[in-house]
Amino acid sequence: MSLWLLQWKRKWATLFIVCLLAFITGVFIKAPRALEHYIFHQWEESASQIDLIVGYKGSPIQIVASTLYRLENPTGNIPAATYEFWREHPLVELATPIALGDNVQGHPLVGTDSSYYPWFGILLKEGHFPSISGEVVLDAALADQLKVGIGASLTSAHGSDSRGESHEHPLKVVGILEAKRSADQSALFTVPQTYWTSHHSVEQSYTSVMLKLKSKAAMLILPNIISERPDEQGAFPVFIFGQLQKQWQPTIDQSTRWSWIIAAGVILLFITYISNMYHSELNTIAFLRNHHGNTASIFIQVFGNVVVLMLLGLFLSVMIIQGMIGVLPVVEEWTAMLLTVVLGLGLLWIKLRKS
Amino acid sequence: MTNWASVILMATSLHVSAWGQKVVSWDLLAVPYSTTSEGLYAPQFPSWLDRYKNQEVVLQGYLVPVDVATKQYALSRYAFSSCFFCGNAAPNTVVELVFKDQPDHLVTDQFVVIKGILILNDNDPYRLFFIIQQAEFYG
């Protein structure tokens, strides 16, 4: 058995340790960036789709959270006249009404019109979109979860909890969807008339209106108009996420600084490990020296596999991080990881030269 | 931060003038405007703004994100926290920025000094009254 193969058998643990250290270093450096990326991705996704949401006077965050994510209760109801006003406003390209407040087995029931589906890239897999009161559609995965298909009957309840007061009007599943956003995958959709029927409403009303404007600059013109309209609150997702980003940024910056300190500690640990590994190979090195081995050949025979393992560990860690977080490492992270490997190998080389 | 940036801008204004750039104040941009029958705003640009029209100007203010996907930002007279929902803001307190080079992600309410060509928009009701073309950070 050659010395190279012998070294491979002896150093199987090295692969594990190198991979682990490279992975830990990578994750610590990557985590704040991943957080930042995630936040910005969410921001972009929401802000690029909706320019403005108009709801009843209240918290803009609550309006965005309820309309876009169904995480909150709506601030209240707005009359159908409000929807009509915004639908016909010259700065508005598209207006979609939203009615919320009921649930089906704990899943929100969204009352909206047909413009909602293409807006959020929702496709019809089976059946048809709801067109009359009582008709509902839902994502295929949710239909499986609720064990319902086309033609099935469901009952809605008031509020966001399935234990809320049940409505007497039954709902009928008429279509199965393929939704993209998680908020849409866990909701059922119907026409606003379903709400008016089940709530015995005399006046037609909604909980909010989502608007796409004819230009982005219009977002800075409309606040003035909204402030002049009674009982209406404008919520601009891009501004809200911008404000949230402002709050998060110092935390991200702080954690970035800490991640580098932790990474430096891990690198130090790695160098110590390399140094110990050298000392454990002293007898082999002495044997090869006595057999007229030069520094380069000893380095390759004794530590050649370490070089391969280090590069493999580096590659694996990058792949794992990419797979886990979905963000490619940037130049400085590659530099940090390569620097660690070069530093470790350089240390081995220097020690070997001095031996 | 705000005060320091103001001091720097004031201190460098002579230098700026020497290079032919005109320092514009927000008071200068507070032009009157009317509402059209369609409910849109129409600015009325006073003649004294002509000397700034299509000229390279320098303006300071707070960044407001308009579209993150396409990295569109506007410059506001007021910080966001005292801006749009408090009644201070108006169409003449924000300026549309068209950056020469796309900036990296910026932070809302970041106080900046911008240099660029000032456009007086009197024909496109879907855009702001003032647009700074070829915008770049100054200083």
Side-chain angles (χ1 to χ4, degrees):
Chain A
M1 188 182 282
S2 71
L3 185 61
W4 176 271
L5 280 174
L6 202 69
Q7 291 292 340
W8 272 110
K9 281 190 80 175
R10 286 178 60 196
K11 294 202 182 87
W12 64 269
T14 309
L15 175 66
F16 176 72
I17 290 168
V18 168
C19 283
L20 192 69
L21 288 179
F23 173 69
I24 292 169
T25 313
V27 164
F28 273 117
I29 297 171
K30 195 82 247 173
R33 282 183 190 281
L35 182 68
E36 195 177 11
H37 171 86
Y38 181 75
I39 290 166
F40 282 112
H41 178 71
Q42 293 292 315
W43 177 10
E44 275 186 36
E45 190 188 34
S46 305
S48 60
Q49 286 177 324
I50 313 289
D51 292 326
L52 167 63
I53 304 170
V54 176
Y56 186 75
K57 206 87 182 164
S59 154
I61 291 178
Q62 191 178 343
I63 291 171
V64 171
S66 62
T67 306
L68 281 185
Y69 306 109
R70 288 118 215 174
L71 295 172
E72 262 279 11
N73 292 321
T75 47
N77 289 330
I78 52 172
T82 298
Y83 162 64
E84 292 299 331
F85 171 83
W86 288 109
R87 192 169 66 90
E88 287 164 17
H89 195 279
L91 287 174
V92 173
E93 187 181 310
L94 180 64
T96 299
I98 301 289
L100 296 166
D102 289 347
N103 76 88
V104 176
Q105 297 180 34
H107 298 276
L109 179 66
V110 182
T112 187
D113 67 16
S114 57
S115 64
Y116 184 93
Y117 307 104
W119 198 338
F120 288 103
I122 298 173
L123 302 173
L124 185 70
K125 280 182 79 177
E126 225 180 302
H128 63 87
F129 287 114
S131 56
I132 57 168
S133 176
E135 290 185 341
V136 295
V137 288
L138 70 168
D139 185 71
L142 181 59
D144 286 345
Q145 188 189 325
L146 298 178
K147 295 183 175 62
V148 293
I150 288 179
S153 278
L154 291 164
T155 310
S156 64
H158 194 65
S160 56
D161 196 304
S162 57
R163 291 166 295 185
E165 185 193 344
S166 291
H167 294 125
E168 61 201 49
H169 299 279
L171 305 171
K172 185 184 173 189
V173 178
V174 296
I176 303 295
L177 307 173
E178 189 182 319
K180 284 182 179 168
R181 297 189 320 136
S182 59
D184 293 334
Q185 287 163 355
S186 59
L188 293 95
F189 297 89
T190 185
V191 288
Q193 286 83 345
T194 304
Y195 267 88
W196 305 333
T197 307
S198 60
H199 288 251
H200 307 290
S201 303
V202 179
E203 285 182 6
Q204 296 179 357
S205 64
Y206 305 100
T207 49
S208 59
V209 184
M210 299 191 316
L211 304 176
K212 187 178 265 297
L213 305 178
K214 285 184 179 164
S215 76
K216 293 292 178 184
M219 288 163 63
L220 302 171
I221 300 171
L222 286 178
N224 220 31
I225 295 169
I226 296 167
S227 66
E228 290 166 2
R229 291 181 57 79
D231 300 332
E232 284 180 26
Q233 178 71 58
F236 296 83
V238 69
F239 296 161
I240 289 169
F241 285 101
Q243 287 293 86
L244 291 175
Q245 183 221 359
K246 203 171 80 176
Q247 303 293 324
W248 289 328
Q249 201 59 50
T251 312
I252 290 170
D253 291 343
Q254 180 76 1
S255 55
T256 303
R257 282 192 288 274
W258 275 105
S259 72
W260 282 105
I261 294 170
I262 293 164
V266 173
I267 289 168
L268 203 67
L269 208 71
F270 181 67
I271 301 295
T272 312
Y273 172 76
I274 293 278
S275 180
N276 285 340
M277 192 173 64
Y278 169 80
H279 288 290
S280 69
E281 297 291 346
L282 278 178
N283 288 338
T284 315
I285 293 164
F287 173 78
L288 289 171
R289 278 265 186 250
N290 289 337
H291 286 76
H292 310 291
N294 61 28
T295 306
S297 69
I298 296 172
F299 186 86
I300 291 167
Q301 286 191 71
V302 181
F303 300 115
N305 46 15
V306 176
V307 177
V308 175
L309 289 173
M310 278 181 175
L311 293 174
L312 193 65
L314 190 68
F315 177 75
L316 278 177
S317 71
V318 168
M319 288 298 107
I320 292 168
I321 293 164
Q322 161 72 5
M324 273 177 64
I325 306 171
V327 189
L328 275 173
V330 291
V331 176
E332 66 225 47
E333 290 155 20
W334 275 107
T335 312
M337 287 199 251
L338 276 171
L339 203 69
T340 311
V341 171
V342 170
L343 212 65
L345 295 177
L347 189 77
L348 281 176
W349 179 264
I350 291 165
K351 277 180 171 271
L352 204 59
R353 289 269 302 205
K354 284 183 178 172
S355 67
Chain B
M1 172 77 179
T2 303
N3 292 337
W4 275 110
S6 304
V7 169
I8 291 165
L9 180 70
M10 285 171 72
T12 56
S13 60
L14 284 175
H15 169 75
V16 169
S17 298
W19 284 97
Q21 294 143 350
K22 298 179 172 74
V23 178
V24 176
S25 74
W26 284 103
D27 285 336
L28 208 66
L29 302 181
V31 297
Y33 57 92
S34 56
T35 308
T36 66
S37 55
E38 289 181 305
L40 299 169
Y41 291 129
Q44 289 135 31
F45 295 117
S47 57
W48 41 260
L49 266 177
D50 288 348
R51 63 188 289 256
Y52 297 97
K53 190 177 177 181
N54 302 329
Q55 297 295 308
E56 191 166 72
V57 299
V58 174
L59 178 66
Q60 59 181 2
Y62 300 90
L63 281 176
V64 179
V66 179
D67 188 350
V68 189
T70 57
K71 292 185 177 174
Q72 280 186 54
Y73 287 85
L75 194 68
S76 170
R77 178 175 189 165
Y78 303 106
F80 187 84
S81 47
S82 62
C83 180
F84 299 97
F85 300 108
C86 305
N88 279 333
N92 55 9
T93 64
V94 275
V95 169
E96 198 176 321
L97 298 177
V98 181
F99 278 102
K100 197 174 179 179
D101 300 310
Q102 287 288 14
D104 288 335
H105 73 267
L106 301 168
V107 179
T108 303
D109 277 353
Q110 190 176 340
F111 187 83
V112 292
V113 182
I114 294 288
K115 181 182 82 173
I117 309 294
L118 182 69
I119 308 294
L120 309 184
N121 172 32
D122 54 5
N123 55 16
D124 187 349
Y126 302 118
R127 298 185 74 176
L128 298 180
F129 298 170
F130 300 100
I131 301 162
I132 293 187
Q133 297 273 16
Q134 297 176 44
E136 53 189 324
F137 294 106
Y138 182 79

